[in-house]
Structure formats: structure tokens, C-alpha cells
Amino acid sequence: MTDTFYGSDFDALSSFDPEISGILLSELDRIRSGLQLIASENLSSPRVLTALGSTLSNKYAEGYPGRRYYGGCSEVDKAEELAIARCRELFGAEHANVQPHSGASANQAVYGAFLNPGETILAMSLPHGGHLTHGTKVSFSGKWFDAVHYGVDPETEDIDYDEMERLAKEHRPKVILSGGSAIPRLIDFERIRAICDEVGAIMWVDAAHFIGLVAGQAIPSPVPHADVVSFTTHKVLRGPRSGALVCKEEHAKAIDKAVFPMMQGGPQMHTVAAKAVNFKECATPEYQRYAAEVVENAKVLAQGLAERGIRPTTGGTDTHLALLDLQGVGVTGVDAEARCDAAGIVLNKNAIPNDPQKPSVASGIRVGTPCLTTQGMGTEQMTTVAELIHTAVTKGDADPEHEVSRQVRGTVTELVEAFPAYPR
Ligand SMILES: *Cc1c(COP(=O)(O)O)cnc(C)c1O
């Protein structure tokens, strides 16, 4: 018999709080009934969810294993030591910090470790695929640091490394940051390392989106090249909603001090344990096959949309996501998102490089294959999904009762019944 106090006890929750337990159930229904194409989302395993719903959530463990500010840390120390060892092993990293609460918190710690307020960072611009925490004015990163931005080459729509080099020489940034949330292609880490060495900058890679593909050995790793790599654990990686950092040994002290006590208080030990479970999952042959399939599926999906007149920027993808330019079919990102939503297809509007529309309207959508691949869908299904997206975007309507919404939703239902999320 399982002691329900090891993990979640749904019955106890639902008898006490039918409102919240009802939301847990209806969210599960929502996930199961549609196609989840948000590139930054995934479906973590029941094992990971069990660790998240455990009593480790109660424990205060400020500090690091063996050096805590609180007593009673013997068991959570073991969990964190396992998470650190597995993380280092998975990525071949000299040092790992598994305490960041999220991707943004991990990034905050990198700023704290390497930069003083007012110092310069060179990063990818948000409208070209970067991230809010990469020096935008609405974030601490742009308010407290002097951010200079490179973008994509207007011809190739891929990262403009020449511009990165030119700006690096001109501004002499302390840190050069690469990575972002809408970059479909592989990043040339060797080239960035050379630019960093040329100007004496720290090389920081924000691998939040693609770290799962690195873990599954489906794409090259930034870890051997970078001084520090920050990432989320809930995107392709498929772990709990959280973050982590790996770095060279020479930066270990600075990174650890920046995570705690500079930026965070007590670590969330249930999440640390869930990260340990996830890192163990990622080291399996099944996960490696999964990562390869995620990329294969994204390529076929992008190709299928391209054939129907919805152009992937850069001409396609090497990763789990594609950024699609809707100008050729004359639909805005915001309308496409609403039409797809009405048809049971969940994706997001996204600015494309040099977008003529404002970000709240956008000329593009972003799609990713982590969730559908977790559900077991393969290339054959991706061709169907491309057709469904095309139909919803070009002929559909934001009204779920519209004929096209209903028709597309019918095929979506067939797909998710054959490839269920969280199968019963
Ligand atoms: C998702 C993401 C983050 C932020 O992660 P949160 O866990 O949402 O804070 C940071 N950087 C990049 C590039 C991301 O894609």
C-alpha cells in the first residue's frame, strides 16, 4: 500500500475543495482534448508530478548540501546531491546549481554573478527571437544593465554573427548572451566562443528552450564552449516547472553565491527532487529517441506548412520549434491563434523578424512538437497537423461553433484519442 502522504492525495483535496480540485480535472481535460503546440510546454511524467506533490515542499534548506542554515536537512541534502550529480553527468558539466526557481531566476543569478549594475551585456533582441530577461526595458535586465542587442540577418533570418562580432568589438560587453525563445536553427557556439575570446567576454548561453534536445543528444551542446549555461527544466526537457545552471568550475562559487543568498531564499526541495527524477529520465535511451523524434516531427510539421503556403522563417527548423510567417496567407498572428484555439489547436502568435505588426498583433505563429511527441505522435500525424493548422488559419474562425472550427476539431479529437496525453 502506498502511503498517500508520500505524494498527492486527490480524494482528500476534492472532498475539501471541490472548486480547486475541479480545476485540476478540467485542466487535465483541456490538455487531453486539444493539440498542444506551444513550443515551450511539455507533459512531465507522473513520476515527476509525484515528487512535486511531496512533503519535501515543507522543508527549509537555505544554503547547499552539508552547509545549510537549518537543521533536519539530511534527506533533502541527499535529493539535492543526486540532482546535482545527475545534472553534471547528463551535460558533462564541471558544476551544476539546481536551485533556481525558474528560467528567469536562473538568468537573474547569472547577471548577479558576472555583472554590476550599469555594466554592458550583448544579447539577442527580443523581436528577433531573444527573451524578456535578455535586457528588455520592461525587465530588471534592461533597467539595471546596459543591454546592446544583435538580431538576425535579413536575408537568412538566422543569427547575424557578423553583427554580434561588430557590436562586441564596439561595446566591449562583459557578457555575451545567446539563446532565445523563437530561434528555430542551431546556434554556432564555436563562433560565439571565438567572439567572446576576442573581446574578453564571458560566454553565457540561455538554453531554456533547447536544453532537452541537448540532454537527448539530438543537437550539439553549448556546455563545452560556454562559461555558463542557464536553462528551464519544464520545456523540451520535460521536468518540473523550474530552472538550473551549469558552469565551469572557475565560476562555481560566483554562481552559487548569486543563486543564494543574492537572488533567492530557500530552495524548493520538492522541485529539486523532481529535477533529480527528470535528469534520471533524460539519461535513458527512451528519452534520447524522444528528443530525436521531437526534431524530426518539427521538421515535417514545418515542411507541411511550407507546402501549404505558410512559410517557416529561415526556411525550416533544426530544433523543436518553427516560427511561421503568415503574411503570405494574409492572416495576422492574433487571428491565427484565435482560429486555431477555436478548433482545438493551442499555439501562440509570435513576432517574426522585422515584423510590420505590433507584438500584440504579430505576423507569425510559433509551433513546437514537444507535447505531441510525448503523446507518441510521429511524422505521419505531423502532416495531418500541418493540414489542420492550415485549414484553421486560412478558412477558420474564432467562433468554436463555426463549421470549419467544428470540422477541424473533429479530426483533432480523433488524433488525441489515438495518441492521448496522460493515458488512463
Ligand atoms: C522560457 C524562457 C525563460 C524563462 O523561463 P521561466 O521559467 O518562464 O522564468 C528564459 N529564457 C528563455 C530563452 C526562455 O525561453
Side-chain angles (χ1 to χ4, degrees):
M1 250 316 267
T2 311
D3 180 339
T4 52
F5 291 105
Y6 287 148
S8 39
D9 185 343
F10 188 80
D11 292 342
L13 176 64
S14 64
S15 60
F16 176 74
D17 190 341
E19 287 156 296
I20 286 294
S21 65
I23 291 167
L24 302 194
L25 290 177
S26 55
E27 169 63 2
L28 192 52
D29 281 347
R30 187 194 66 80
I31 293 169
R32 282 174 171 157
S33 62
L35 295 176
Q36 311 304 326
L37 283 156
I38 307 262
S40 50
E41 292 181 4
N42 210 335
L43 310 168
S44 59
S45 70
R47 298 178 288 244
V48 166
L49 295 177
T50 300
L52 277 178
S54 71
T55 59
L56 271 65
S57 160
N58 297 325
K59 190 70 199 92
Y60 245 108
E62 281 176 339
Y64 290 99
R67 294 176 283 138
R68 304 286 191 187
Y69 288 60
Y70 288 86
C73 288
S74 59
E75 305 316 302
V76 293
D77 271 11
K78 290 180 208 160
E80 185 165 348
E81 278 162 359
L82 274 173
I84 291 168
R86 289 174 183 175
C87 184
R88 287 183 54 208
E89 171 82 22
L90 187 62
F91 298 111
E94 292 176 18
H95 181 74
N97 187 306
V98 297
Q99 291 193 6
H101 300 327
S102 67
S105 308
N107 287 355
Q108 217 176 351
V110 179
Y111 283 95
F114 296 111
L115 293 136
N116 292 309
E119 287 183 332
T120 304
I121 179 163
L122 176 59
M124 181 113 167
S125 86
L126 178 65
H128 284 203
H131 190 260
L132 282 166
T133 56
H134 296 188
T136 62
K137 283 292 168 208
V138 292
S139 142
F140 75 94
S141 58
K143 285 189 199 293
W144 300 339
F145 302 95
D146 174 26
V148 179
H149 289 115
Y150 59 88
V152 299
D153 179 296
E155 287 301 309
T156 63
E157 299 178 292
D158 198 9
I159 298 168
D160 187 343
Y161 296 96
D162 292 337
E163 184 186 31
M164 183 192 292
E165 183 169 15
R166 185 175 57 71
L167 292 170
K169 285 178 175 164
E170 184 185 335
H171 296 277
R172 297 270 150 187
K174 208 157 174 196
V175 174
I176 298 179
L177 169 55
S178 54
S181 51
I183 304 173
R185 293 299 183 176
L186 299 180
I187 299 172
D188 187 346
F189 301 122
E190 281 92 351
R191 176 89 196 263
I192 299 174
R193 179 77 256 176
I195 297 170
C196 288
D197 289 344
E198 201 180 351
V199 300
I202 292 282
M203 177 174 168
W204 169 19
V205 179
D206 180 349
H209 253 272
F210 61 84
I211 195 71
L213 303 177
V214 174
Q217 298 179 18
I219 65 168
S221 173
V223 176
H225 308 285
D227 289 284
V228 60
V229 177
S230 60
F231 55 94
T232 57
T233 51
H234 50 275
K235 298 183 183 175
V236 189
L237 200 69
R238 210 162 59 181
R241 172 158 304 267
S242 198
L245 289 156
V246 295
C247 66
K248 301 287 184 216
E249 187 58 41
E250 64 185 291
H251 305 307
K253 268 212 172 81
I255 284 290
D256 285 354
K257 281 188 192 159
V259 173
F260 174 85
M262 189 176 189
M263 298 297 177
Q264 292 188 174
Q268 304 188 350
M269 295 315 299
H270 57 308
T271 317
V272 169
K275 281 182 254 195
V277 175
N278 171 236
F279 295 143
K280 184 166 182 168
E281 290 177 339
C282 290
T284 61
E286 289 80 5
Y287 185 82
Q288 288 191 6
R289 268 198 300 280
Y290 165 73
E293 285 166 12
V294 166
V295 176
E296 194 52 36
N297 279 345
K299 283 185 199 288
V300 172
L301 180 57
Q303 176 70 27
L305 288 162
E307 282 163 7
R308 289 166 178 83
I310 298 183
R311 189 187 73 89
T313 68
T314 77
T317 179
D318 304 318
T319 64
H320 60 297
L321 71 85
L323 188 57
L324 300 149
D325 176 358
L326 301 174
Q327 293 175 105
V329 292
V331 181
T332 62
V334 71
D335 285 342
E337 181 184 306
R339 291 175 189 182
C340 285
D341 205 36
I345 301 170
V346 185
L347 46 72
N348 63 283
K349 66 177 180 293
N350 210 105
I352 56 168
N354 305 311
D355 202 317
Q357 302 281 5
K358 54 184 189 216
S360 57
V361 176
S363 300
I365 49 174
R366 189 185 65 163
V367 297
T369 51
C371 291
L372 299 190
T373 311
T374 293
Q375 289 170 238
M377 293 189 205
T379 51
E380 195 185 318
Q381 288 73 41
M382 292 309 115
T383 305
T384 309
V385 172
E387 202 178 307
L388 294 175
I389 294 173
H390 176 260
T391 304
V393 167
T394 59
K395 305 194 187 85
D397 193 275
D399 177 5
E401 296 312 319
H402 186 276
E403 191 189 321
V404 173
S405 307
R406 297 170 77 110
Q407 173 209 326
V408 172
R409 221 166 47 236
T411 312
V412 166
T413 303
E414 284 169 24
L415 269 176
V416 298
E417 278 171 1
F419 299 92
Y422 294 109
R424 279 167 239 258

